Amino acid sequence: MQFPESWLREFCNPPLTTQQLADTLTMAGLEVEELEPVAPPFTRIVVGEIKEAVQHPNADRLRVCQVDVGQGALLNIVCGAPNARAGIRVPCAMVGAELPPGEDGKPFVIKVGKLRGLESQGMLCSAKELKIADDHGGLLELPLDAPLGQDIRQYLNLDDTLMTLKLTPNLAHCLSVYGIAREVSALTGAPLKAPNFPAVATQVSDKLAVKVHATDLCGRFSGRVVKGVNTQAQTPQWMVDRLARCGQRSVSPLVDISNYVMFEFGRPSHIFDLDKIHGGLHVRWGQPGETLKLLNGNTVTVDGQVGVIADDSQVESLAGIMGGDATAVSDDTQNIYIEAAFWWPTSIAGRSRRFNFSTDAGHRFERGVDPQLTVEHIERITQLVLDICGTPETQVGPVDDQILNLPAITPVMLRVARAVKVIGMPLTQQQCADTLRSLGLQVAEGQGTVTVTPPSFRFDLQIEEDLIEEVARMVGYNNLPTNPPLAPITAKVRPETERSPSAVRRTIAALGYQETINYSFVEEAWERDLAGNTNPIRLINPIASQMSVMRSSLIGSLLQVVKFNADRKADRVRVFELGRVFLRNAAVQSNDTTVEGFDQPMKVSGMAWGPLEPLNWTGKSRLVDFFDVKADVERLLAPAQAEFVAGEHPALHPGRSAQVLLNGLVIGHVGELHPRWRQAWDLLHAPVLFELDLDAVTQRSVPVAQPVAKLQAVERDIAVIVREQVTHAQLMQAIHSAPTQGLLRHAVLFDVYRPKAEAAGGLAVGEKSLAVRMSLHSDEATLTDAQIEAAMGAVMASLSERVSARLRT
């Protein structure tokens, strides 16, 4: 919220400088985000009146003006402004005046000079030249009663400061100048000037029929008829200036009055053109299909969740948000209806955002506006209408006040001992009570307790912690003691069987991958296509339409990173991410770290795209393939031995992907991106990726010391012929399941042979030759030929039985 400091000091003027006042508000929870002077520094600029303005003899666009600045002698000033004419009063920079700095940052000093041969003894100024407005349409015209010769800074009150407050949603009572003054009075003890709302005399008994159909929407509705107003009157300059310094431009007198009272007392209101209302008003919830053209020109369609004010024929206003164009006041308006109501915050909250705009009125009503002062504020608005737009024919009707459903006021109890514990400093019951009384709260004291009856303007005082916060704010956060923690600090020791996520990151980075961090919100299509998730967890209020669901896989996020880099001519990408995914799981119960019905495990995923190695002097590198990334996964899981079993995944190539098993459990997948998705994402070649459960990756076995073998191992190579369908895993399983009495320690496939010609090398069609090197060893004695032959025979027997292998000759 933005407002001028001078307006605040009219209600409460503590003996503090501007900076001290800002610091006091900030330390009380009302953060002063910015302090900005109303006008930049300038000197010797006074009020002057143009007595005569004649055409310059040597220039078509210049006028020679005789200007009276209250010094007796007239000044001869040459001016090029289009509105320079006799009879107006304008800012006049005297010789020696220093104007605000220009674009070069240097002050502009006025000197006696000549323009097209005629001497000019000063300068007549526009608002833009003084840097108090952006309007450069001509000279800044002042009221005709502006005192000649008076310093323009003093006359326009330019030695003022604009204060911008960043308020939290619970501080609805501070969304007005008077509300902030009330806080300043409580913080500093300076007297608060209470407003006075004298009743305006009525001349007619006219009332507008108003029927409130939804008391859960509107708890109180007050209104008044005023006839015979002059809407073509001019808004006073003091009101225009104050509104401008609150960030609100002047529109018309009636609109300006409504906005002024909103900034003054936090009361949004609306003024209808009475003659444009058909019959009476009806306050109700909208009906599906009803439309309304708003004051901002937009036409919206309402439904049963949006409150409206309608007449007998159509909707006229969005309740508590914005008025309609059909009943808006104009220059032809003669009779008006002033409305001030209490709208329930829950009935206004979020409604304007449904239509993609926000208003100052909605901002206040959805946080809470005092329901007790609707009549008083109508009296204030009426008096301003009479002062600015009143005529001898103006007639005021009585206030029609309907009190229907106001918030119940529930006392809140504060335990002094509890406040001391939470705030962390010693406080007495008297201190707590006096602090709360200074805020204008009704306080009753008990034995160690203080009970507060919240006033109607404090919607935020509902529980004990709210009162504790008020005490802490008034004491001052800067006065809280800084005590070191007394609890013993014990470092959490990670067991040897577990490595940290940071260690996992370092391991993957050492393999040449770069870490990325991506949003947990993803496109719904990613979940459907890449994760096979047809029922993702949807966001109620997504930050963007393409980020509408929670991810259950990291693949989409990494694929987007690869696509982003590929589009920018990157030829080689290696990326990974450690992140949380979100799955539906009815078995999950709520606790400090979980939400009922949702599982949120951590995953680690990597993706490689492009050449296996960067281009170097050895020649062109081949593209990365399944086995390269499989090797990376094996290094990541080492020393654990993972098993890779052919499997399917929605994102992966059906013939170039595998499940990753550890200790018999599936912990993830590795494989090449499915050709369908490679084409959909327009990639030149397919990336290869893996995705694993982080919990499985962080587990590791404790190293066990083993002595160096004293006896030499024996190696034997065999080549067997098997069917083409036999996999490496089946081959190894058959070898290791052979009864070798523990002599077989290691086996590795080192050659695969497929004949190019039919039945070449003793192989039939559909067969292949696999060469395996086996290591045999015993810790007890050197192996004999008989033991070796027996072990090899057992291996061949197992191969023959399990995979129908025969020895290649």
Short mmCIF file of all heavy atoms in Angstrom, two decimals, residues 263-293:
data_model
loop_
_atom_site.label_atom_id
_atom_site.label_comp_id
_atom_site.label_asym_id
_atom_site.label_seq_id
_atom_site.Cartn_x
_atom_site.Cartn_y
_atom_site.Cartn_z
N PHE A 263 -9.11 4.76 0.62
CA PHE A 263 -7.74 4.90 1.10
C PHE A 263 -7.71 5.51 2.50
O PHE A 263 -6.81 5.20 3.29
CB PHE A 263 -6.92 5.77 0.14
CG PHE A 263 -6.57 5.09 -1.15
CD1 PHE A 263 -7.09 5.53 -2.36
CD2 PHE A 263 -5.73 3.98 -1.17
CE1 PHE A 263 -6.77 4.91 -3.55
CE2 PHE A 263 -5.41 3.35 -2.36
CZ PHE A 263 -5.94 3.81 -3.55
N GLU A 264 -8.67 6.35 2.82
CA GLU A 264 -8.68 7.03 4.10
C GLU A 264 -9.05 6.08 5.24
O GLU A 264 -8.35 6.01 6.26
CB GLU A 264 -9.68 8.19 4.06
CG GLU A 264 -9.67 9.07 5.31
CD GLU A 264 -10.63 10.23 5.17
OE1 GLU A 264 -11.69 10.07 4.52
OE2 GLU A 264 -10.32 11.31 5.70
N PHE A 265 -10.14 5.31 5.06
CA PHE A 265 -10.64 4.45 6.15
C PHE A 265 -10.72 2.97 5.78
O PHE A 265 -11.23 2.18 6.56
CB PHE A 265 -12.02 4.94 6.60
CG PHE A 265 -12.01 6.31 7.21
CD1 PHE A 265 -12.70 7.36 6.61
CD2 PHE A 265 -11.30 6.57 8.37
CE1 PHE A 265 -12.69 8.64 7.16
CE2 PHE A 265 -11.28 7.84 8.93
CZ PHE A 265 -11.98 8.88 8.32
N GLY A 266 -10.24 2.61 4.59
CA GLY A 266 -10.27 1.21 4.21
C GLY A 266 -11.65 0.72 3.83
O GLY A 266 -11.90 -0.50 3.86
N ARG A 267 -12.56 1.62 3.47
CA ARG A 267 -13.94 1.24 3.15
C ARG A 267 -14.21 1.34 1.66
O ARG A 267 -14.45 2.41 1.13
CB ARG A 267 -14.91 2.16 3.90
CG ARG A 267 -16.35 2.13 3.39
CD ARG A 267 -17.05 0.83 3.69
NE ARG A 267 -17.07 0.58 5.12
CZ ARG A 267 -17.45 -0.54 5.67
NH1 ARG A 267 -17.84 -1.54 4.90
NH2 ARG A 267 -17.42 -0.69 6.99
N PRO A 268 -14.16 0.23 0.91
CA PRO A 268 -14.61 0.28 -0.48
C PRO A 268 -16.11 0.53 -0.53
O PRO A 268 -16.87 0.00 0.29
CB PRO A 268 -14.26 -1.11 -1.02
CG PRO A 268 -13.25 -1.67 -0.05
CD PRO A 268 -13.62 -1.08 1.27
N SER A 269 -16.53 1.31 -1.46
CA SER A 269 -17.96 1.61 -1.63
C SER A 269 -18.23 1.74 -3.12
O SER A 269 -17.33 1.67 -3.95
CB SER A 269 -18.33 2.90 -0.90
OG SER A 269 -17.57 3.99 -1.41
N HIS A 270 -19.52 1.93 -3.45
CA HIS A 270 -19.88 2.09 -4.86
C HIS A 270 -21.00 3.11 -4.97
O HIS A 270 -21.89 3.16 -4.12
CB HIS A 270 -20.32 0.77 -5.47
CG HIS A 270 -20.53 0.84 -6.96
ND1 HIS A 270 -19.51 1.16 -7.82
CD2 HIS A 270 -21.63 0.65 -7.72
CE1 HIS A 270 -19.97 1.16 -9.07
NE2 HIS A 270 -21.26 0.86 -9.03
N ILE A 271 -20.93 3.92 -6.01
CA ILE A 271 -21.95 4.93 -6.27
C ILE A 271 -22.61 4.60 -7.60
O ILE A 271 -21.96 4.57 -8.65
CB ILE A 271 -21.33 6.35 -6.30
CG1 ILE A 271 -20.67 6.66 -4.95
CG2 ILE A 271 -22.40 7.37 -6.62
CD1 ILE A 271 -20.01 8.02 -4.88
N PHE A 272 -23.94 4.33 -7.54
CA PHE A 272 -24.72 4.01 -8.72
C PHE A 272 -25.39 5.27 -9.27
O PHE A 272 -25.69 6.20 -8.52
CB PHE A 272 -25.84 3.01 -8.37
CG PHE A 272 -25.37 1.65 -7.93
CD1 PHE A 272 -25.01 1.41 -6.61
CD2 PHE A 272 -25.31 0.61 -8.83
CE1 PHE A 272 -24.60 0.15 -6.20
CE2 PHE A 272 -24.91 -0.65 -8.43
CZ PHE A 272 -24.54 -0.88 -7.12
N ASP A 273 -25.64 5.27 -10.56
CA ASP A 273 -26.53 6.26 -11.16
C ASP A 273 -27.95 5.79 -10.88
O ASP A 273 -28.43 4.79 -11.43
CB ASP A 273 -26.28 6.35 -12.67
CG ASP A 273 -27.06 7.49 -13.32
OD1 ASP A 273 -28.21 7.74 -12.91
OD2 ASP A 273 -26.52 8.13 -14.24
N LEU A 274 -28.64 6.48 -10.02
CA LEU A 274 -29.96 6.04 -9.54
C LEU A 274 -30.95 5.88 -10.68
O LEU A 274 -31.77 4.95 -10.69
CB LEU A 274 -30.49 7.03 -8.50
CG LEU A 274 -31.84 6.70 -7.86
CD1 LEU A 274 -31.76 5.40 -7.07
CD2 LEU A 274 -32.29 7.84 -6.95
N ASP A 275 -30.89 6.76 -11.65
CA ASP A 275 -31.87 6.74 -12.73
C ASP A 275 -31.67 5.57 -13.70
O ASP A 275 -32.55 5.30 -14.52
CB ASP A 275 -31.81 8.06 -13.51
CG ASP A 275 -32.13 9.27 -12.63
OD1 ASP A 275 -32.99 9.11 -11.74
OD2 ASP A 275 -31.52 10.33 -12.82
N LYS A 276 -30.51 4.89 -13.61
CA LYS A 276 -30.25 3.76 -14.49
C LYS A 276 -30.62 2.42 -13.85
O LYS A 276 -30.47 1.38 -14.49
CB LYS A 276 -28.77 3.75 -14.90
CG LYS A 276 -28.35 4.96 -15.73
CD LYS A 276 -26.87 4.89 -16.07
CE LYS A 276 -26.42 6.11 -16.87
NZ LYS A 276 -24.96 6.10 -17.15
N ILE A 277 -31.06 2.46 -12.59
CA ILE A 277 -31.45 1.23 -11.90
C ILE A 277 -32.91 0.94 -12.20
O ILE A 277 -33.78 1.80 -12.04
CB ILE A 277 -31.23 1.36 -10.38
CG1 ILE A 277 -29.74 1.60 -10.08
CG2 ILE A 277 -31.73 0.12 -9.65
CD1 ILE A 277 -29.45 1.85 -8.62
N HIS A 278 -33.19 -0.27 -12.65
CA HIS A 278 -34.55 -0.68 -12.98
C HIS A 278 -35.20 -1.32 -11.76
O HIS A 278 -34.84 -2.43 -11.37
CB HIS A 278 -34.55 -1.68 -14.15
CG HIS A 278 -33.84 -1.18 -15.36
ND1 HIS A 278 -32.48 -1.35 -15.56
CD2 HIS A 278 -34.29 -0.48 -16.44
CE1 HIS A 278 -32.13 -0.80 -16.71
NE2 HIS A 278 -33.20 -0.26 -17.27
N GLY A 279 -36.11 -0.60 -11.13
CA GLY A 279 -36.76 -1.12 -9.94
C GLY A 279 -35.85 -1.04 -8.73
O GLY A 279 -35.23 0.00 -8.46
N GLY A 280 -35.77 -2.14 -7.99
CA GLY A 280 -34.92 -2.19 -6.81
C GLY A 280 -33.67 -3.01 -7.05
O GLY A 280 -33.42 -3.52 -8.15
N LEU A 281 -32.84 -3.15 -5.98
CA LEU A 281 -31.61 -3.94 -6.05
C LEU A 281 -31.81 -5.27 -5.34
O LEU A 281 -32.51 -5.35 -4.33
CB LEU A 281 -30.45 -3.17 -5.42
CG LEU A 281 -29.98 -1.91 -6.15
CD1 LEU A 281 -28.82 -1.28 -5.39
CD2 LEU A 281 -29.59 -2.20 -7.59
N HIS A 282 -31.13 -6.31 -5.86
CA HIS A 282 -31.19 -7.64 -5.27
C HIS A 282 -29.75 -8.12 -5.07
O HIS A 282 -28.98 -8.19 -6.03
CB HIS A 282 -31.94 -8.60 -6.19
CG HIS A 282 -33.35 -8.16 -6.50
ND1 HIS A 282 -34.43 -8.49 -5.70
CD2 HIS A 282 -33.85 -7.39 -7.51
CE1 HIS A 282 -35.53 -7.94 -6.21
NE2 HIS A 282 -35.20 -7.27 -7.31
N VAL A 283 -29.41 -8.41 -3.84
CA VAL A 283 -28.08 -8.91 -3.51
C VAL A 283 -28.18 -10.43 -3.40
O VAL A 283 -28.87 -10.95 -2.53
CB VAL A 283 -27.57 -8.31 -2.19
CG1 VAL A 283 -26.18 -8.82 -1.87
CG2 VAL A 283 -27.58 -6.79 -2.26
N ARG A 284 -27.51 -11.11 -4.28
CA ARG A 284 -27.66 -12.57 -4.37
C ARG A 284 -26.43 -13.19 -5.02
O ARG A 284 -25.54 -12.48 -5.49
CB ARG A 284 -28.90 -12.91 -5.20
CG ARG A 284 -28.88 -12.32 -6.62
CD ARG A 284 -30.07 -12.79 -7.42
NE ARG A 284 -30.19 -12.12 -8.72
CZ ARG A 284 -29.51 -12.43 -9.81
NH1 ARG A 284 -28.59 -13.42 -9.76
NH2 ARG A 284 -29.70 -11.79 -10.95
N TRP A 285 -26.42 -14.51 -5.07
CA TRP A 285 -25.41 -15.23 -5.83
C TRP A 285 -25.81 -15.21 -7.31
O TRP A 285 -26.98 -15.17 -7.64
CB TRP A 285 -25.28 -16.67 -5.35
CG TRP A 285 -24.71 -16.80 -3.96
CD1 TRP A 285 -25.37 -17.11 -2.83
CD2 TRP A 285 -23.35 -16.60 -3.59
NE1 TRP A 285 -24.53 -17.11 -1.75
CE2 TRP A 285 -23.27 -16.81 -2.19
CE3 TRP A 285 -22.19 -16.27 -4.27
CZ2 TRP A 285 -22.09 -16.69 -1.47
CZ3 TRP A 285 -20.99 -16.16 -3.56
CH2 TRP A 285 -20.95 -16.37 -2.18
N GLY A 286 -24.81 -15.22 -8.16
CA GLY A 286 -25.09 -15.19 -9.58
C GLY A 286 -25.76 -16.46 -10.06
O GLY A 286 -25.80 -17.49 -9.37
N GLN A 287 -26.29 -16.40 -11.25
CA GLN A 287 -26.93 -17.54 -11.88
C GLN A 287 -26.14 -17.90 -13.13
O GLN A 287 -25.69 -17.01 -13.87
CB GLN A 287 -28.38 -17.21 -12.25
CG GLN A 287 -29.25 -16.89 -11.04
CD GLN A 287 -30.64 -16.42 -11.42
OE1 GLN A 287 -30.99 -16.38 -12.59
NE2 GLN A 287 -31.44 -16.06 -10.41
N PRO A 288 -25.94 -19.19 -13.38
CA PRO A 288 -25.13 -19.61 -14.54
C PRO A 288 -25.64 -18.97 -15.83
O PRO A 288 -26.84 -18.95 -16.10
CB PRO A 288 -25.31 -21.13 -14.56
CG PRO A 288 -25.62 -21.48 -13.13
CD PRO A 288 -26.43 -20.34 -12.59
N GLY A 289 -24.70 -18.42 -16.59
CA GLY A 289 -25.04 -17.81 -17.87
C GLY A 289 -25.26 -16.32 -17.82
O GLY A 289 -25.29 -15.67 -18.87
N GLU A 290 -25.40 -15.73 -16.62
CA GLU A 290 -25.58 -14.29 -16.54
C GLU A 290 -24.28 -13.57 -16.91
O GLU A 290 -23.19 -14.01 -16.53
CB GLU A 290 -26.01 -13.87 -15.13
CG GLU A 290 -27.43 -14.26 -14.78
CD GLU A 290 -27.85 -13.73 -13.42
OE1 GLU A 290 -27.03 -13.81 -12.48
OE2 GLU A 290 -28.98 -13.26 -13.27
N THR A 291 -24.42 -12.47 -17.62
CA THR A 291 -23.25 -11.71 -18.04
C THR A 291 -23.33 -10.29 -17.50
O THR A 291 -24.42 -9.78 -17.18
CB THR A 291 -23.13 -11.67 -19.58
OG1 THR A 291 -24.29 -11.04 -20.13
CG2 THR A 291 -22.99 -13.07 -20.14
N LEU A 292 -22.15 -9.66 -17.42
CA LEU A 292 -22.07 -8.30 -16.89
C LEU A 292 -20.90 -7.59 -17.56
O LEU A 292 -19.78 -8.12 -17.60
CB LEU A 292 -21.86 -8.33 -15.37
CG LEU A 292 -21.49 -7.00 -14.71
CD1 LEU A 292 -22.63 -6.00 -14.82
CD2 LEU A 292 -21.10 -7.22 -13.24
N LYS A 293 -21.17 -6.39 -18.08
CA LYS A 293 -20.10 -5.55 -18.61
C LYS A 293 -19.60 -4.68 -17.47
O LYS A 293 -20.35 -3.90 -16.89
CB LYS A 293 -20.59 -4.68 -19.76
CG LYS A 293 -19.47 -3.87 -20.41
CD LYS A 293 -19.96 -3.06 -21.59
CE LYS A 293 -18.80 -2.26 -22.22
NZ LYS A 293 -19.25 -1.43 -23.35
#
